[in-house]
Amino acid sequence: MEKSFSIGFAQANHEFGTPAENVFIPESVQHTMDGCNFCSEATVLNDYGFNVSEEQLQREAVEQGWYSAGNGTPIDCMGKHIDGRGVPVSMTEGNGVDNLISELSQGHRVIVAIDSGEVWNPSFGEALEDRLCGGIPDHAVIVDGVSLSDNLVTITDSGTGNFRTQYPLDNFMDAWSDSNCTMVATQVSPEEYMAGGEMMA
């Protein structure tokens, strides 16, 4: 299991979280149009030793009333599968880069809600959409790292299959602001969780 940078190393090099790999993994692409949250949660849960899939989490979400097909996952239901398996999470709004850095430096896993178009295809049309319609967060992604020296953010995105791929930090912040910078972060690292001898379920 890959370990995040230590805080001291991160501060010295202005790099926080897991190093970028910039690779496409077709197997990681979500299987349904609105399965991004389940893919993100499954990826995080696998880091903590749980063998789960997008489909399994989707079925559980339907049973719990956290999801209905075609409507996606409400933002306030993000992270429920993680917390429900005994990995504590926090959900906060109004975050900034410093909050991401704090979580990543502790080895925590982070899922955020964004406007996908502002990351995939930043354009005048996306800016106009914000002005006319307000923020439209329509996608969940994992934030793996932040590079202050290069002004980049590293994201794992089930919508594209891009694994630990870097994007301009400014574009990401614009996309993230559409959800009022909502973030779900685990409160222990995978290493701490495993060392604690938590039961897997």
Side-chain angles (χ1 to χ4, degrees):
M1 184 173 297
E2 197 161 1
K3 187 179 175 86
S4 298
F5 291 130
S6 68
I7 294 175
F9 182 88
Q11 289 175 338
N13 293 276
H14 307 290
E15 307 289 334
F16 302 86
T18 305
E21 297 185 33
N22 294 308
V23 296
F24 169 66
I25 302 179
E27 295 81 8
S28 70
V29 177
Q30 63 197 56
H31 299 150
T32 58
M33 285 291 292
D34 54 3
C36 54
N37 177 63
F38 306 129
C39 273
S40 297
E41 288 182 312
T43 298
V44 169
L45 282 167
N46 278 296
D47 285 344
Y48 287 83
F50 295 90
N51 183 20
V52 295
S53 66
E54 171 190 350
E55 290 78 11
Q56 178 184 346
L57 298 187
Q58 186 177 52
R59 287 193 301 270
E60 292 177 10
V62 170
E63 293 169 0
Q64 296 293 331
W66 301 336
Y67 162 84
S68 60
N71 295 314
T73 301
I75 288 180
D76 61 2
C77 291
M78 288 171 52
K80 283 189 176 292
H81 291 100
I82 302 171
D83 191 63
R85 283 170 167 78
V87 179
V89 301
S90 67
M91 173 178 282
T92 53
E93 297 181 12
N95 294 289
V97 175
D98 56 335
N99 302 103
L100 284 176
I101 287 172
S102 175
E103 300 293 350
L104 294 170
S105 296
Q106 297 174 75
H108 298 167
R109 299 298 187 258
V110 175
I111 300 174
V112 300
I114 63 169
D115 179 338
S116 59
E118 292 176 16
V119 170
W120 297 344
N121 185 33
S123 61
F124 172 76
E126 289 293 332
L128 185 61
E129 177 187 84
D130 275 358
R131 289 179 185 163
L132 295 177
C133 306
I136 304 177
D138 61 0
H139 195 42
V141 297
I142 297 170
V143 177
D144 297 296
V146 173
S147 170
L148 295 181
S149 56
D150 298 319
N151 202 36
L152 296 169
V153 61
T154 300
I155 294 172
T156 292
D157 186 347
S158 64
T160 61
N162 291 333
F163 180 77
R164 292 181 182 164
T165 298
Q166 291 182 309
Y167 297 89
L169 183 57
D170 290 344
N171 290 350
F172 166 78
M173 292 302 299
D174 190 23
W176 191 23
S177 69
D178 282 19
S179 72
N180 191 25
C181 295
T182 296
M183 170 174 68
V184 171
T186 62
Q187 295 303 286
V188 294
S189 70
E191 294 78 14
E192 290 170 332
Y193 184 80
M194 299 297 189
E198 300 288 348
M199 293 297 293
M200 302 294 135

